[in-house]
Amino acid sequence: MDCIFCKIIAGTIPSAKAYEDDQTYAFADIDPKAPVHLLIVPKKHIPSLAEADAGDTAVLGHLHAVARKLATEHNLSAGYRTVINTGPDGGQTVSHLHVHLLGGRQMHWPPG
Ligand code: 5GP
Ligand code: ZN
């Protein structure tokens, strides 16, 4: 499958790993938008949140539990932002579901 994040999970494309378990893989974003910018992805290829099904509910929760754990490890006690971009209007550019964990600076609202 020609999916960049599946290749990162498989190790055929290098990444700066932040966390791994049987369901998830987390790594540093190659183009960080904040001092801490990690991507947490399911090892299963789910193209987007819109294409997740009922059987994916547990892994969707687990991705967020991993984000919380990584936020603690990266000392983001002042807060952080988790983001899932979905589809063209959502600004999704890689078609493998991922949670962005952004922190280390003040975030703004509304997002662009
Ligand atoms: P999206 O725009 O789909 O929500 O987020 C995709 C993210 O993947 C972007 O923040 C982009 O910088 C990151 N990205 C794209 N290609 C690579 C890559 O090869 N390695 C890493 N580490 N991040 C990537
Ligand atoms: Zn994939």
Side-chain angles (χ1 to χ4, degrees):
M1 188 187 297
D2 192 26
C3 169
I4 194 165
F5 287 178
C6 281
K7 290 176 181 171
I8 284 174
I9 294 161
T12 56
I13 293 176
S15 65
K17 180 166 93 172
Y19 176 80
E20 181 174 17
D21 64 27
D22 60 331
Q23 295 180 78
T24 60
Y25 187 81
F27 55 102
D29 196 292
I30 202 167
D31 183 18
K33 308 301 189 296
V36 175
H37 187 176
L38 302 175
L39 302 173
I40 304 116
V41 306
K43 287 188 170 176
K44 175 187 175 186
H45 180 83
I46 303 169
S48 77
L49 185 60
E51 290 154 283
D53 61 32
D56 297 322
T57 301
V59 76
L60 291 174
H62 187 57
L63 293 172
H64 289 82
V66 171
R68 180 180 57 193
K69 169 185 163 61
L70 288 170
T72 300
E73 288 178 5
H74 287 76
N75 304 311
L76 300 180
S77 57
Y80 52 89
R81 182 167 293 175
T82 48
V83 174
I84 299 176
N85 296 322
T86 302
D89 277 8
Q92 185 177 6
T93 60
V94 177
S95 295
H96 181 129
L97 174 64
H98 48 284
V99 175
H100 295 259
L101 171 64
L102 298 143
R105 66 168 171 82
Q106 177 66 56
M107 298 296 156
H108 303 287
W109 195 261

